[in-house]
Amino acid sequence: MATEFVKSLSDGVEGKLHIVMFPWLAFGHIMPYLELSKLIAQKGHKISFISTPRNIDRLPKLPLEYSTSITLVKIPLPKVDGLPENAEATMDIHTKDIVYLKKALDGMELELTSFLEKISPDWVLHDFAPYWLAPITTRLGISRGFFRIINAWFFAFLGSTDMMLTGWTNRPPTPEKFMVPPKWIPFETKAAFRHHESKWIVEGMQKNVSGVSDLYRTGATIKGVDVIIIRQCREFEGQWLKLIEDLHHRPILPVGLMPPPLHYINDDNSETWACIKEWLGKQTKCSVVYVALGSEVTIGPTEINELAHGLELSGSPFFWVLRNPSKSGNLDHIELPNGFEDRIQDRGIVWKSWVPQLKILSHESIGGFLTHCGWSSIIEGLMFGHPLIMLPFLVDQGLNARILEDKEIGIEIPRNEEDGSYTRDSVSSSVKKVMVEKDGKKIREKAKEISSIFGNRRLHDKYIEELIQFLEDHRKMSNGHSS
């Protein structure tokens, strides 16, 4: 229980910050929050990192250097009808059941409030979901920030704070509304959703079983915070940062791209990595396509078949991470096309468990990254200069693909506009273009060039220093600190 940690957390070092982190219950959110926690803790500040018991237990073990600066705090997730037993993160459930997870998170309010009352932190940095936090932190004199792990263009696409709160003037638009750039974007952009992607935005504007819409959650969260912190940098699409400041009338603080520390690459001597490294070492330099669609994407049998046949037809060596879904309930076991693994055994691997992604991407044999276009995966791929073969599925991923294709650092696999289906031929031709064809040379070169931004450790460390300076300068006086 959270109260077990209270006494040790109260004994803060004079002048140092005590920050509570409260990410949304998805590991695509939890892990960037944990990485930011480490970056802040390295500067001597104290972090209380809050999630549910099962999510905390699934986190990678923290290095010893954080044993006194980061405290992992478990707050139980209340039971909610419709949410399967032991489901505490989006990866545990079907997409349609995520609304019940939001309702359950709302039930954490009382215990979270009690925890904040007892430890009196300087700041709470939280995600979009706890829209009810502002009155609590205001009463307690705690500064609050919205840490947005998704990039700036998706944020801007959703409109102003008032538009979010009113559901776009109470008349939710049709999917077609999202298939062109919004009128409030004052510069040219390819940011637009496909028809099959935009349906979920319309759904996100509807009130769900939690009592509010997803869009309202985000708007209420923004309205209640002192600052919006976003995983973006001015050197890459900086015009979007200015736009979201104009839309939301809040200070916008880019935290940089937070590329993972390179020491992660050198501290794994596991049998898993030894086996993978041996196979990669036998491949030609820059010849292998790394294929990974993240932990949140569940693709159906037809999509798996077409992707498999496409990789086979491409002729390129590939390393495909294809993990069984961990969702609760009865989901189909992943099945590859008949005889596929036998046919590709000389030039391809299908790996069905966890892999050290960063280490694989850093290997010299990797020449391209077939990705679902999650922002964290994009950052990891581009920090090593890998051109992207893009197959987006959820939330911001479609916009990411449009922006990056327009920048000529990757190409999007062509799909059916209406249902999002793709074919083996579209997969194969996309892989060939990025990996070997003359037409893809510019893409390969530009991806290498952009690594000077995405992999620039000094640049992104400077953003973290600016963030910490802001947090130090703007903590509330009611906590007994000068501001």
Side-chain angles (χ1 to χ4, degrees):
M1 297 286 281
T3 50
E4 295 171 13
F5 303 100
V6 168
K7 185 174 189 309
S8 62
L9 293 173
S10 308
D11 303 331
V13 178
E14 187 64 32
K16 292 299 183 181
L17 294 166
H18 181 187
I19 299 168
V20 168
M21 294 281 192
F22 187 36
W24 163 234
L25 305 176
F27 274 83
H29 290 237
I30 291 169
M31 295 312 295
Y33 267 74
L34 188 60
E35 288 309 308
L36 182 59
S37 298
K38 292 176 186 175
L39 291 167
I40 295 172
Q42 284 170 7
K43 306 296 185 182
H45 302 287
K46 187 178 282 290
I47 304 289
S48 295
F49 190 93
I50 295 175
S51 195
T52 66
R54 188 160 180 244
N55 290 341
I56 294 289
D57 290 343
R58 286 185 283 187
L59 290 174
K61 189 174 175 57
L62 283 172
L64 276 176
E65 63 185 285
Y66 302 111
S67 59
T68 59
S69 55
I70 300 179
T71 304
L72 302 176
V73 181
K74 297 178 179 179
I75 292 183
L77 190 69
K79 292 187 185 301
V80 166
D81 288 342
L83 191 65
E85 189 76 22
N86 294 322
E88 297 186 8
T90 54
M91 67 187 294
D92 301 326
I93 52 179
H94 296 264
T95 304
K96 64 181 176 61
D97 294 329
I98 290 175
V99 290
Y100 300 106
L101 193 63
K102 288 167 184 158
K103 185 177 180 181
L105 178 135
D106 292 341
M108 297 170 72
E109 179 180 347
L110 283 177
E111 186 148 356
L112 178 62
T113 302
S114 175
F115 181 71
L116 294 176
E117 286 172 344
K118 286 167 183 166
I119 67 166
S120 191
D122 297 294
W123 280 88
V124 177
L125 302 187
H126 60 89
D127 221 321
F128 76 97
Y131 68 101
W132 33 262
L133 251 180
I136 298 164
T137 51
T138 299
R139 175 173 62 83
L140 297 175
I142 301 168
S143 298
R144 56 205 171 271
F146 175 21
F147 175 33
R148 186 70 167 169
I149 61 106
I150 295 175
N151 56 61
W153 45 82
F154 175 73
F155 202 3
F157 204 93
L158 297 176
S160 68
T161 313
D162 287 343
M163 290 177 69
M164 291 179 179
L165 290 170
T166 59
W168 286 30
T169 65
N170 297 316
R171 294 182 61 188
T174 60
E176 287 73 21
K177 183 80 172 177
F178 300 99
M179 294 170 64
V180 293
K183 62 182 183 300
W184 53 83
I185 298 178
F187 44 82
E188 267 202 42
T189 178
K190 295 289 178 65
F193 286 101
R194 308 285 190 237
H195 191 271
H196 66 92
E197 297 167 333
S198 59
K199 295 171 188 173
W200 75 265
I201 302 186
V202 175
E203 290 173 8
M205 291 182 162
Q206 311 299 317
K207 191 181 290 189
N208 56 48
V209 297
S210 71
V212 296
S213 70
D214 292 348
L215 200 66
Y216 181 87
R217 279 182 189 274
T218 306
T221 291
I222 293 167
K223 190 173 182 181
V225 298
D226 301 303
V227 62
I228 297 169
I229 299 162
I230 190 160
R231 192 180 184 185
Q232 181 67 291
C233 66
R234 300 179 194 94
E235 291 75 11
F236 185 74
E237 291 289 330
Q239 59 192 348
W240 292 93
L241 294 169
K242 173 69 169 66
L243 176 57
I244 57 176
E245 194 163 45
D246 293 341
L247 286 169
H248 298 296
H249 308 293
R250 292 284 182 280
I252 303 297
L253 206 58
V255 74
L257 298 175
M258 294 167 50
L262 293 180
H263 68 75
Y264 284 3
I265 295 171
N266 304 314
D267 61 4
D268 184 354
N269 298 309
S270 65
E271 287 183 26
T272 296
W273 173 236
C275 178
I276 294 169
K277 186 179 180 182
E278 182 183 2
W279 184 84
L280 291 173
K282 295 174 182 175
Q283 311 307 314
T284 307
K285 186 177 180 181
C286 295
S287 68
V288 178
V289 183
Y290 176 62
V291 184
L293 301 179
S295 60
E296 304 292 328
V297 172
T298 303
I299 61 175
T302 301
E303 294 164 310
I304 289 172
N305 272 335
E306 293 305 305
L307 182 52
H309 285 302
L311 290 170
E312 185 177 359
L313 286 169
S314 75
S316 287
F318 62 87
F319 189 101
W320 183 6
V321 182
L322 183 62
R323 297 175 64 184
N324 280 320
S326 63
K327 317 285 185 188
S328 302
N330 297 316
L331 284 186
D332 295 334
H333 182 79
I334 288 174
E335 286 191 18
L336 290 160
N338 194 30
F340 171 75
E341 288 181 272
D342 291 333
R343 295 194 302 274
I344 57 90
Q345 62 178 340
D346 292 335
R347 67 173 177 87
I349 281 189
V350 181
W351 196 276
K352 296 176 183 175
S353 58
W354 177 87
V355 298
Q357 176 163 293
L358 204 64
K359 294 176 78 68
I360 293 172
L361 288 169
S362 72
H363 198 278
E364 66 175 9
S365 69
I366 301 297
F369 185 10
L370 198 161
T371 172
H372 64 304
C373 292
W375 191 225
S376 292
S377 290
I378 287 168
I379 290 166
E380 290 186 9
L382 292 178
M383 68 184 278
F384 294 110
H386 296 314
L388 306 175
I389 305 149
M390 298 179 285
L391 192 60
F393 288 89
L394 303 168
V395 195
D396 63 318
Q397 295 165 9
L399 292 189
N400 294 345
R402 315 291 118 76
I403 295 277
L404 297 173
E405 186 171 67
D406 193 39
K407 284 185 165 291
E408 299 180 290
I409 48 183
I411 63 169
E412 186 174 354
I413 294 172
R415 301 168 90 145
N416 181 291
E417 275 282 335
E418 291 300 312
D419 63 13
S421 61
Y422 53 86
T423 67
R424 61 194 68 183
D425 290 333
S426 63
V427 172
S428 173
S429 60
S430 299
V431 170
K432 285 177 181 175
K433 181 175 180 180
V434 167
M435 295 300 294
V436 295
E437 290 178 358
K438 190 176 180 181
D439 283 355
K441 185 181 179 186
K442 189 174 185 181
I443 294 169
R444 296 189 289 272
E445 288 174 347
K446 286 210 165 191
K448 279 192 171 55
E449 286 172 18
I450 207 76
S451 68
S452 65
I453 292 175
F454 278 72
N456 187 331
R457 176 72 42 202
R458 185 176 294 177
L459 171 69
H460 300 296
D461 284 350
K462 188 169 180 291
Y463 279 106
I464 296 297
E465 289 170 9
E466 290 174 2
L467 167 68
I468 292 172
Q469 189 64 56
F470 182 95
L471 298 177
E472 287 177 341
D473 291 345
H474 293 84
R475 51 185 162 190
K476 300 291 187 192
M477 292 185 70
S478 57
N479 273 341
H481 303 294
S482 57
S483 63

